[in-house]
Amino acid sequence: MSSQTQIFPDMPALCPETLCVSGLSLARGELTLVRDFNLDLAPGEAVLMSGPNGTGKTSLLRAIAGFIRPEAGTIRIGEHPPTIAAAERLAWLGHADGLKPGESPRQALRFWAAMAGQPRKAILPLMRALAIESVIDRPAGRLSRGQQRRTALVRVALANRPIWLLDEPAGPLDGGGRARLADLVAWHRSRGGSVIAATHQILDWPDARRIDLGTHR
Amino acid sequence: MSSQTQIFPDMPALCPETLCVSGLSLARGELTLVRDFNLDLAPGEAVLMSGPNGTGKTSLLRAIAGFIRPEAGTIRIGEHPPTIAAAERLAWLGHADGLKPGESPRQALRFWAAMAGQPRKAILPLMRALAIESVIDRPAGRLSRGQQRRTALVRVALANRPIWLLDEPAGPLDGGGRARLADLVAWHRSRGGSVIAATHQILDWPDARRIDLGTHR
Amino acid sequence: MNALGAVFAREARLAWAGGGGAAGPAAFFLAAITLAPLAIGPAPDLLMAIGPGIMGFAALLSVLQSADRLFGDDHADGTAELYLLSGATPAWLVLAKVMGQAVATLWPLPVIGLLGALMYGVPVETALVGALALLAAIPALSLIAGFAGALAAGIRRSGLLIALIATPMMVPVLIFAAGAGRSAFEGDERAVANLLLTLAVSLGTTALTPFGIAGAIRSRLG
Amino acid sequence: MNALGAVFAREARLAWAGGGGAAGPAAFFLAAITLAPLAIGPAPDLLMAIGPGIMGFAALLSVLQSADRLFGDDHADGTAELYLLSGATPAWLVLAKVMGQAVATLWPLPVIGLLGALMYGVPVETALVGALALLAAIPALSLIAGFAGALAAGIRRSGLLIALIATPMMVPVLIFAAGAGRSAFEGDERAVANLLLTLAVSLGTTALTPFGIAGAIRSRLG
Amino acid sequence: MLSYFSNPQRFDQLARVLIPIFGGLALVLLGVGVWLALFNSPPDYQQGETIRIMYVHVPAAYMAMALYVALAVASFVYFVWRHALADTAAEVIAPIGAVFTMLALFTGSLWGKPMWGTWWEWDARMTSVLVLLLVYLGYMALRAALEDSQQAARTGAILAMAGIINLVIVKFSVDWWSSLHQPASVIRLDGPTIHSSQLWPLAIMALAYTFLAGWLVLYRLRSQALRRRARALQRQRDQLARQREEAVS
Ligand code: HEM
Ligand SMILES: Nc1ncnc2c1ncn2[C@@H]1O[C@H](COP(=O)(O)OP(=O)(O)OP(=O)(O)O)[C@@H](O)[C@H]1O
Ligand SMILES: Nc1ncnc2c1ncn2[C@@H]1O[C@H](COP(=O)(O)OP(=O)(O)OP(=O)(O)O)[C@@H](O)[C@H]1O
Ligand SMILES: [Mg+2]
Ligand SMILES: [Mg+2]
């Protein structure tokens, strides 16, 4: 796919990984949110998860990442349950962007590149891919909501991990930002990566599977 | 309009108010964001403000609320500049929802009703109008993003003030939530209220004026 | 219920919510006066001599502990904007807020101060004077802490900055409040004068700091 | 640069960012040892006797002050999740984090402790022993504060909770560290033993608390 | 008057004239003062030669307080009239004041060793100067922690104005607390109680310190103002370039 070369051709290769959720039930407090949920995600696939507010999209993503312990069912990333071993296969974008107000995107992304063991030189192309290279040295606390979100998306891409878990990635993005996100996801999939995103926006990612968690229940 | 009776017919009448922004220029740090911006908002009107991330929508709303001092130009709410006197005419929804994690919507809304001098009995109908009456006693920290946003919208409506300033009101809302927000806004306008909202979503509020801050610059 | 009453009640409720409540500063106070003898050593006459002073010092630190959350949370969660647009006079509003928290959480301090002084071997009358002085000092201490907290709201590691800003302004209260205890201990008749001075400082602070706090909140939103 | 080095360096950088840095705990320490005599009174022999103890006590409080931000900020801004998914061993990661902050911000404490002790009229050798004891106590104090901070991350008024959780665990360090200064003051040869014990507690804490902290972070995400 | 000099150009002209005058006066007065203090004044009948430390110490203590007053006044002017120059003044005064405070502490404790036998005494006056140092440090730390310059300016101004209470503490602390320190002997309602052979060198040193501080403040103020203007010009140029680009495309 052409978007691969557009974004950053020198990125080290990705190790594709499968995700398999079977018979998952989640409860929060008194409430059962998700009952007997099944999902198979092969390399290169994308899932767009929608559903009314409060149905449990965020909870489901957090369970897959291993932050919430499910009531029943299994989650497998490759062969592992979501433990530290499997965590290295996931890239996470939550409601919060994980930015420090005093740290500029450049500083933050250099740090996350080092954490993921990825080369720094990927930072600038990825910032460009999300059209925020001009704010690279502005403290994150002064960025606009959309600029913060884009910085967090760069962090996700920078980790170079096969499975992306994105919770409302497009909420604060403008039209251009959504298009650039779609390109980024297409690039990731072309490299063998996969994505699960919870969203209320209508994102047109080509041949993404759509799950409505509301009707599933 | 029928939505008025649907939502809460017993709400005390609203005192309509005009807003007039003329020749406004805003700067943040070294950056000039908005130059010579003009806006007139009569009772019953709605303005939907869009524009690329980082153009200054949030900054503009904050200036109108009196949180940011403009470089040049004037802002008038009725006859007043945005001071405490004029503040009583504004209802504010920022990026943050203004909720305390340990407080339930019922507790929080009772508090804000008392602050605004409005009757408590409006709380339940408004919660119903946004379809979150079922979570009324759940601590806000455990609500989903969309539920939190809806609670904040109830707070805005509850204050019974003529001019609403909404920063991305619909970001975390599902389709149903957006429809209910549209109803709420229609009800507010039918009572003589007006709204300025910054948004990246396509909200279909009937005959709302649309401003693209990106092209304005 | 009017707006100020609502703010007062909410602040008291939030201070109690989450199980902390009055236990918080009280527990810190208790921890501090328990640790001090461990650091200083068990010599009884030494402890007796420093008893009234340590009570004042520990009370000051307990009040400082909760200062960063009082206005810092409002700054972070968007409540500060809402308060400024609420139409209530900002100075009254912040006074209600600080007092709501103080009334809900700080009343045990004089009681523990009394007990603590007795545990340090301080005579009963001296301990009583000390406890009264603490009571008189609480408004001043919590308003000054609130002022520093409003200035530093939302700053990383604001706790330290708050302590640095607040302590110099707390010096007179500390001198008078601890002085009351000490003069009582030394059988000096200045105890009453010190007590009255503490009260006077508290009144003065109550009249002035709310304006400072309101100004600080507004300036931090810009 | 490997992951742990990166965490260490980032934490040190964040501690310095925004102008606070090493000045924070140091300034608090200075404020505490300045206020104590105001509360206790100026009598020189009294101050000399409590000098070593007050230094240990004030150092403990300074370390506590920054504890709520160390893990609380990560919890609030979503960094905690990212750390857990980073693939680095959590215990090592938190150790690097705590040490990064400690190295960046706590090194002035022994220096000010030395100066402070001299200002309290403590003899030079005693003051030196006290400063060494502070140095030896810093790892233990900051790790215990970090543990309490991780347990209380994101809780309203976590500062108080942290103080409550941490102080009992800090008792041994405080006893040995302040004990070293006091024994030196009293010309007691137990000074060296106390110094070594402080160091031993610090080493033990370094070996154990990281697991506790990592577990606490994970449990607070659920 | 205020608004007259808040104009950057006019301030710059004025500063260019005043800076050499202040610098020169400071140099000359310091020379004379040091000569008088060290060689041409009698040793004290009680304190002997150590009295000479006084000529360094007392003016430093006085500058520590005077500069805080200046800081508070500049902050007040900024807060009410929003002259950017007043804020810059506050910004540059603080570290200079802190240095003079440290000098007062340092020379005071040098003096204390021969006089009282200790470097440091928890005496009211000394302690309150230490507190004044904390006030300066707190002000600088708050400003440094606020990234937005407008927020730093307004918030700092509020703190500086509130901090004026500490001068009251410094001034009256002697009466509140039992004290070893000299009671005020120069500035008294019934005239100075100090001998004229000591008063003269002291007065000259005080004047010298004042001009030194004035020179430091003006110098840093001018360079800060120039930096601000350079930044503004750069911004203008960038914006013009951007507009030209837009016009072309
Ligand atoms: C670090 C220690 C010291 C500090 C912080 C300090 C501070 C001050 C201050 C703030 C003043 C100005 C008082 C005013 O104008 O009201 C002052 C004046 C003075 N100090 Fe010190 N002082 C210290 C040590 C000493 C010592 C050891 C002596 C000698 C015995 C001394 C003798 C004086 C004298 C004679 C004056 C002039 C008093 C007057 O005319 O008001 N000081 N000092
Ligand atoms: N500890 C808890 N106790 C009770 N209910 C809880 C708890 N935590 C979460 N909930 C509820 O669980 C539901 C699921 O929340 P979740 O955040 O997963 O929803 P979501 O699908 O992401 O919604 P949104 O679209 O609004 O983001 C919500 O209704 C919430 O109120
Ligand atoms: N203190 C500051 N210094 C420099 N630049 C700043 C400062 N504060 C904000 N900015 C910049 O000002 C711009 C406007 O931000 P604002 O939040 O108003 O944008 P927005 O239109 O609301 O964007 P979004 O759609 O992403 O929410 C951003 O580009 C931001 O980076
Ligand atoms: Mg969600
Ligand atoms: Mg915005």
Side-chain angles (χ1 to χ4, degrees):
Chain A
M1 204 183 261
S2 73
S3 48
Q4 163 135 27
T5 41
Q6 274 166 22
I7 288 180
F8 184 59
D10 295 346
M11 197 87 167
L14 203 61
C15 253
E17 190 65 278
T18 57
L19 170 74
C20 172
V21 178
S22 73
L24 191 76
S25 293
L26 290 180
R28 306 292 281 151
E30 323 275 79
L31 211 70
T32 302
L33 290 176
V34 175
R35 215 186 298 270
D36 193 25
F37 177 84
N38 298 293
L39 177 72
D40 262 301
L41 192 73
E45 285 192 315
V47 169
L48 280 168
M49 193 160 53
S50 63
N53 291 136
T55 30
K57 301 179 291 301
T58 298
S59 309
L60 185 59
L61 287 175
R62 291 181 75 83
I64 294 176
F67 303 142
I68 298 181
R69 193 180 289 268
E71 292 280 284
T74 56
I75 298 167
R76 286 281 173 282
I77 294 153
E79 287 120 51
H80 304 282
T83 55
I84 295 160
E88 291 188 40
R89 327 260 68 220
L90 302 175
W92 173 259
L93 180 80
H95 282 311
D97 290 319
L99 300 170
K100 303 284 174 189
E103 216 177 38
S104 70
R106 189 197 298 275
Q107 295 173 312
L109 293 170
R110 282 192 174 172
F111 169 72
W112 289 113
M115 286 298 279
Q118 297 297 325
R120 287 179 176 195
K121 60 181 191 297
I123 295 174
L124 213 61
L126 287 170
M127 292 287 285
R128 257 189 228 115
L130 285 160
I132 42 169
E133 71 277 20
S134 66
V135 299
I136 193 165
D137 285 317
R138 194 170 293 166
R142 299 193 208 165
L143 298 181
S144 80
R145 269 302 281 127
Q147 289 165 343
Q148 291 173 344
R149 201 67 176 159
R150 291 177 191 220
T151 308
L153 282 166
V154 171
R155 194 224 335 112
V156 167
L158 193 61
N160 200 19
R161 292 181 169 179
I163 303 174
W164 288 4
L165 304 177
L166 311 179
D167 199 355
E168 301 195 26
L173 296 188
D174 60 25
R178 283 198 286 273
R180 283 161 186 279
L181 170 64
D183 284 347
L184 193 73
V185 167
W187 172 67
H188 177 60
R189 293 171 66 189
S190 75
R191 304 174 66 232
S194 55
V195 184
I196 311 181
T199 184
H200 297 298
Q201 268 78 38
I202 298 144
L203 300 177
D204 48 337
W205 296 355
D207 51 68
R209 244 188 302 160
R210 278 160 214 276
I211 300 181
D212 188 332
L213 216 62
T215 59
H216 168 91
R217 246 206 319 198
Chain B
M1 201 183 262
S2 73
S3 49
Q4 164 134 25
T5 42
Q6 275 166 22
I7 287 180
F8 184 58
D10 296 346
M11 198 87 167
L14 203 61
C15 253
E17 190 64 277
T18 56
L19 170 75
C20 173
V21 178
S22 72
L24 190 74
S25 292
L26 290 181
R28 305 291 280 152
E30 322 274 79
L31 211 71
T32 302
L33 290 176
V34 176
R35 214 187 299 269
D36 194 26
F37 177 84
N38 298 292
L39 177 72
D40 262 300
L41 191 73
E45 285 191 314
V47 167
L48 279 168
M49 192 161 55
S50 62
N53 291 137
T55 29
K57 301 178 293 298
T58 299
S59 308
L60 184 59
L61 288 175
R62 291 182 74 82
I64 294 175
F67 302 143
I68 297 181
R69 191 178 287 267
E71 292 279 284
T74 55
I75 298 167
R76 287 281 173 281
I77 295 153
E79 286 120 52
H80 303 283
T83 55
I84 294 160
E88 292 187 39
R89 327 260 69 219
L90 301 175
W92 174 260
L93 180 79
H95 282 312
D97 290 320
L99 300 171
K100 303 283 176 190
E103 219 178 35
S104 70
R106 190 197 299 275
Q107 294 174 313
L109 293 169
R110 281 193 175 170
F111 169 73
W112 289 112
M115 285 298 281
Q118 297 297 325
R120 284 180 178 196
K121 61 182 190 298
I123 295 174
L124 213 58
L126 287 170
M127 291 287 283
R128 254 186 231 117
L130 285 160
I132 42 168
E133 70 276 21
S134 65
V135 299
I136 194 166
D137 286 317
R138 193 170 296 166
R142 300 194 204 162
L143 298 180
S144 79
R145 269 301 283 127
Q147 289 166 342
Q148 290 174 345
R149 201 65 175 162
R150 290 176 194 220
T151 309
L153 282 165
V154 172
R155 195 227 329 116
V156 167
L158 191 63
N160 201 19
R161 292 180 169 180
I163 303 175
W164 289 3
L165 304 177
L166 312 179
D167 198 356
E168 301 195 25
L173 296 188
D174 61 26
R178 282 198 286 272
R180 282 160 186 280
L181 170 64
D183 285 347
L184 193 74
V185 166
W187 172 67
H188 177 60
R189 293 171 66 188
S190 74
R191 305 174 66 230
S194 53
V195 184
I196 311 181
T199 183
H200 296 297
Q201 268 78 39
I202 298 141
L203 300 177
D204 48 337
W205 296 356
D207 50 69
R209 245 188 300 160
R210 278 160 215 276
I211 300 181
D212 188 332
L213 216 61
T215 60
H216 168 91
R217 244 205 325 192
Chain C
M1 190 163 49
N2 70 358
L4 296 181
V7 171
F8 182 91
R10 181 195 210 198
E11 213 49 49
R13 173 160 49 74
L14 285 175
W16 276 93
F28 180 83
F29 191 40
L30 205 61
I33 62 179
T34 316
L35 284 186
L38 291 178
I40 289 164
D45 38 341
L46 197 63
L47 287 179
M48 199 195 304
I50 64 171
I54 288 282
M55 296 306 132
F57 183 52
L60 183 152
L61 293 175
S62 320
V63 174
L64 271 186
Q65 284 293 321
S66 39
D68 68 332
R69 291 296 160 121
L70 188 59
F71 292 102
D73 280 354
D74 284 358
H75 185 83
D77 66 22
T79 307
E81 277 99 339
L82 302 179
Y83 276 149
L84 283 184
L85 294 182
S86 71
T89 314
W92 282 112
L93 195 152
V94 299
L95 186 61
K97 196 174 145 69
V98 174
M99 287 300 148
Q101 203 213 23
V103 167
T105 68
L106 300 182
W107 58 263
L109 296 194
V111 181
I112 304 184
L114 180 61
L115 283 177
L118 294 177
M119 284 161 67
Y120 276 62
V122 172
V124 181
E125 311 80 57
T126 309
L128 272 173
V129 172
L132 275 180
L134 282 191
L135 192 63
I138 282 177
L141 290 179
S142 47
L143 279 161
I144 294 172
F147 177 54
L151 285 171
I155 292 176
R156 219 182 119 78
R157 265 188 315 290
S158 56
L160 289 165
L161 193 53
I162 290 171
L164 185 56
I165 294 173
T167 41
M169 287 188 265
M170 290 177 167
V171 164
V173 205
L174 185 66
I175 289 182
F176 294 139
R182 272 195 294 129
S183 344
F185 181 60
E186 289 154 13
D188 190 330
E189 68 282 1
R190 273 177 309 172
V192 176
N194 272 323
L195 212 54
L196 290 177
L197 280 169
T198 312
L199 208 58
V201 174
S202 262
L203 289 178
T205 323
T206 311
L208 292 176
T209 39
F211 297 97
I213 299 179
I217 292 177
R218 175 164 284 276
S219 80
R220 292 304 319 283
L221 284 183
Chain D
M1 193 162 49
N2 69 358
L4 296 182
V7 171
F8 182 91
R10 181 195 209 194
E11 212 50 48
R13 172 161 49 75
L14 285 175
W16 276 94
F28 179 82
F29 191 41
L30 201 61
I33 63 177
T34 308
L35 284 189
L38 290 176
I40 289 165
D45 37 342
L46 199 62
L47 289 177
M48 199 194 305
I50 64 171
I54 289 280
M55 296 307 131
F57 184 53
L60 184 152
L61 293 174
S62 321
V63 174
L64 270 185
Q65 284 294 323
S66 39
D68 68 331
R69 291 296 159 123
L70 188 60
F71 293 102
D73 280 353
D74 284 357
H75 184 84
D77 65 22
T79 306
E81 278 98 339
L82 301 179
Y83 276 150
L84 283 183
L85 294 183
S86 72
T89 316
W92 281 112
L93 196 151
V94 298
L95 186 62
K97 196 173 145 69
V98 173
M99 286 302 147
Q101 202 212 23
V103 167
T105 68
L106 300 182
W107 59 264
L109 295 194
V111 180
I112 303 183
L114 179 62
L115 272 179
L118 294 178
M119 283 164 75
Y120 276 63
V122 172
V124 181
E125 310 81 53
T126 310
L128 273 173
V129 173
L132 276 181
L134 282 190
L135 192 63
I138 281 178
L141 290 179
S142 47
L143 279 162
I144 295 173
F147 177 53
L151 282 173
I155 294 177
R156 216 182 119 80
R157 265 185 319 288
S158 54
L160 288 165
L161 196 56
I162 290 171
L164 264 186
I165 299 173
T167 40
M169 289 190 267
M170 288 176 169
V171 165
V173 204
L174 185 66
I175 290 182
F176 294 138
R182 270 194 294 128
S183 341
F185 182 59
E186 288 154 14
D188 192 329
E189 69 282 2
R190 274 176 308 172
V192 176
N194 271 323
L195 212 56
L196 290 178
L197 280 171
T198 312
L199 208 59
V201 175
S202 262
L203 290 178
T205 324
T206 311
L208 293 176
T209 39
F211 298 97
I213 299 179
I217 293 177
R218 176 164 285 274
S219 78
R220 292 304 321 280
L221 285 183
Chain E
M1 178 22 214
L2 269 173
S3 54
Y4 183 84
F5 287 113
S6 67
N7 174 316
Q9 263 96 30
R10 248 180 256 128
F11 167 75
D12 198 60
Q13 281 166 7
L14 184 74
R16 249 184 300 176
V17 178
L18 285 185
I19 286 172
I21 296 182
F22 273 54
L25 276 176
L27 213 62
V28 171
L29 286 171
L30 266 184
V32 175
V34 168
W35 178 72
L36 281 178
L38 294 192
F39 306 109
N40 203 14
S41 66
D44 191 75
Y45 73 99
Q46 269 183 334
Q47 309 189 359
E49 298 289 341
T50 54
I51 187 70
R52 305 196 189 285
I53 302 178
M54 176 183 79
Y55 304 112
V56 205
H57 163 71
V58 176
Y62 143 73
M63 281 319 296
M65 287 188 285
L67 282 172
Y68 194 87
V69 174
L71 173 62
V73 169
S75 298
F76 180 76
V77 170
Y78 173 77
F79 195 74
V80 176
W81 290 285
R82 309 233 165 238
H83 293 320
L85 193 64
D87 172 54
T88 318
E91 193 184 353
V92 305
I93 288 171
I96 297 173
V99 167
F100 276 103
T101 313
M102 285 191 245
L103 186 65
L105 285 170
F106 181 71
T107 53
S109 69
L110 272 190
W111 202 1
K113 187 66 184 172
M115 294 316 304
W116 305 328
T118 60
W119 299 103
W120 181 264
E121 201 60 47
W122 288 97
D123 137 277
R125 186 65 64 81
M126 293 162 73
T127 308
S128 56
V129 174
L130 185 57
V131 171
L132 186 61
L133 180 64
L134 290 180
V135 174
Y136 277 118
L137 291 181
Y139 176 81
M140 292 192 288
L142 180 67
R143 279 197 81 116
L146 294 170
E147 276 146 21
D148 188 283
S149 57
Q150 205 183 341
Q151 265 190 39
R154 291 184 62 181
T155 315
I158 293 173
L159 177 60
M161 290 187 293
I164 203 87
I165 182 77
N166 291 289
L167 288 194
V168 182
I169 299 172
V170 172
K171 197 66 201 155
F172 293 103
S173 52
V174 197
D175 311 327
W176 294 342
W177 240 38
S178 51
S179 175
L180 284 171
H181 198 281
Q182 301 280 333
S185 54
V186 179
I187 307 166
R188 282 166 59 129
L189 288 180
D190 50 355
T193 56
I194 186 174
H195 193 268
S196 66
S197 65
Q198 293 173 348
L199 187 60
W200 268 110
L202 189 61
I204 288 174
M205 283 301 276
L207 216 58
Y209 270 55
T210 311
F211 280 110
L212 180 64
W215 176 73
L216 282 170
V217 169
L218 279 174
Y219 186 85
R220 297 223 38 222
L221 192 53
R222 175 158 182 257
S223 51
Q224 284 285 57
L226 285 179
R227 190 175 313 158
R228 272 192 192 188
R229 212 165 55 190
R231 231 183 285 149
L233 286 174
Q234 199 175 5
R235 195 190 333 165
Q236 255 173 24
R237 198 193 58 195
D238 289 354
Q239 249 161 21
L240 277 178
R242 213 177 304 131
Q243 275 166 11
R244 214 171 300 136
E245 238 170 66
E246 275 166 21
V248 168
S249 65

